[in-house]
Every structure is written in structure tokens, then in C-alpha cells.
Amino acid sequence: MNSPTLTDVRLELITAARHFYQQGWMVGTAGNLSARLSDGSFWITASGKSKGELAIDDFVRIYPDGRVEQPTKDSKPSAETAIHQVVYHLFPEATSCYHIHSVEANLVSRFVNGDALPLPPLEMLKGLGVWQENPDCVMPIFANHLQVQQIATEIKARFSNTPSQLPALLIRDHGVTVWASSCTEARNYIELVEYIFRYMVAARGVLGGV
């Protein structure tokens, strides 16, 4: 068993996962979090682990050449590792990638039929890097395929041609993914997008679906 140090990024991932679990955003074994290291490898939550009870050995290390480091024999990479790999490829400045499953994220992903979700011009967008008055901002939406590699391929294809306005994307009926330059920033991004989603769901109820 590995002995964590005070600077081990996995400790930050454990704390974030527990927080998201308590919010109901990573129920059961859903969701996955990763953090990239200086050598280009990244730690990602192992498949099938409760996000409210993660231990230091509940992570798998993925290297740029595809090599996998498994702390224990039963540790397997998250099924959505391919999405993290493509995010780190597309956004070299990113050192963290967080993916959660929330009720609100799935609800808003059905508010439109197309591949972009218009967002209300809320103050919270500033926390996501949108510093405009009355911003016209959209969240990209991707189809949820059984084969995660297909989702990753579509993310790479679209963002290679049309960069995202936000450090975030939605997978319809699945969940939201964010990326950031630190674990703290990624956690903030998750909280901000979830606030926006909750607002959108609540507004639909108040305004009768308008």
C-alpha cells in the first residue's frame, strides 16, 4: 500500500469526491475525478469505488504512453478515462478534470434538442471566466454513447474546430465534466455549473416552462 504525502494530489481528489458524494452528485460509484502530474501522467478514480469512501489506493495512474499503474490488483481505470485523456490533450493548461452525475445536469440536458444549451446571464458565469455584461453563453452538449471512446472522439472533433466558451461540457442524460488548472478551481467550477443548472430547473418551474 502506498503511503500518501501531504502534497499527494490524490488527497485533494478524495476530499472533493467526498464533498460531491454528500451533495448527491456522485451517488453509488458514479462519476470520476482526475489530476494531472508534471510528467503528463494523471491519477484517476478507479472503477467501481464509492466516491464517499475513497482511499489512497482507489486511484489508477495513466501515463502519456498508455501505460497503467494499478496500486492494487482489483484497481481498474474508470470507464470514462478516455474523456479525461482527450480533455488533457485539448487543454494543456488543465491539471484537473472532474465528472459528476447530478439530477439537474441531466434535466437541463433535455431542455434543448440540439448540441448547445443556452445559459442565463447569471453572475456565476464570471467564476467560469465569462467577464461580459449580459453574456450570450452556451454549454456544449454531447450524445451519451455506450462506448465512451465514441464520446471522447466526438469531444475531440468538435473542440478541435470550435473551442468551448466554458471549461465545461454536458453529456446528455449522463452528467457534466469540467477542467481547470487546479483541483480547487475544478471543484469551484463544478459548484458554479451546478448552481446555474439548479437555477435553470427552478426557473422552468416558476415560469411554467418558459
Side-chain angles (χ1 to χ4, degrees), residues 108-122:
V108 300
S109 76
R110 283 287 173 178
F111 283 4
V112 294
N113 293 322
D115 61 6
L117 174 70
L119 300 180
L122 299 179

Side-chain angles (χ1 to χ4, degrees), residues 106-205:
N106 286 334
L107 287 172
V108 300
S109 76
R110 283 287 173 178
F111 283 4
V112 294
N113 293 322
D115 61 6
L117 174 70
L119 300 180
L122 299 179
E123 179 73 11
M124 290 299 189
L125 287 172
K126 290 181 179 178
L128 295 167
V130 180
W131 286 82
Q132 301 170 15
E133 190 166 338
N134 297 317
D136 182 9
C137 197
V138 299
M139 174 84 69
I141 300 178
F142 293 85
N144 185 33
H145 301 291
L146 180 62
Q147 298 299 324
V148 176
Q149 183 59 56
Q150 186 175 350
I151 302 174
T153 298
E154 292 180 4
I155 292 171
K156 183 178 181 180
R158 190 190 307 182
F159 285 169
S160 293
N161 295 317
T162 307
S164 178
Q165 289 178 281
L166 300 170
L169 62 87
L170 267 174
I171 302 172
R172 184 168 275 119
D173 299 329
H174 185 151
V176 65
T177 299
V178 306
W179 53 92
S181 60
S182 71
C183 290
T184 299
E185 193 171 48
R187 174 172 166 167
N188 290 341
Y189 286 176
I190 286 289
E191 293 182 343
L192 289 167
V193 296
E194 284 299 325
Y195 175 93
I196 294 170
F197 294 160
R198 289 198 303 276
Y199 172 92
M200 293 173 70
V201 171
R204 281 235 164 176

Side-chain angles (χ1 to χ4, degrees), residues 9-42:
V9 72
R10 288 174 292 177
L11 296 176
E12 293 187 74
L13 297 179
I14 288 171
T15 299
R18 184 179 299 117
H19 171 65
F20 295 152
Y21 174 83
Q22 291 169 348
Q23 304 305 311
W25 299 340
M26 298 187 90
V27 297
T29 63
N32 35 84
L33 311 179
S34 73
R36 183 159 56 167
L37 307 178
S38 59
D39 65 355
S41 67
F42 62 90

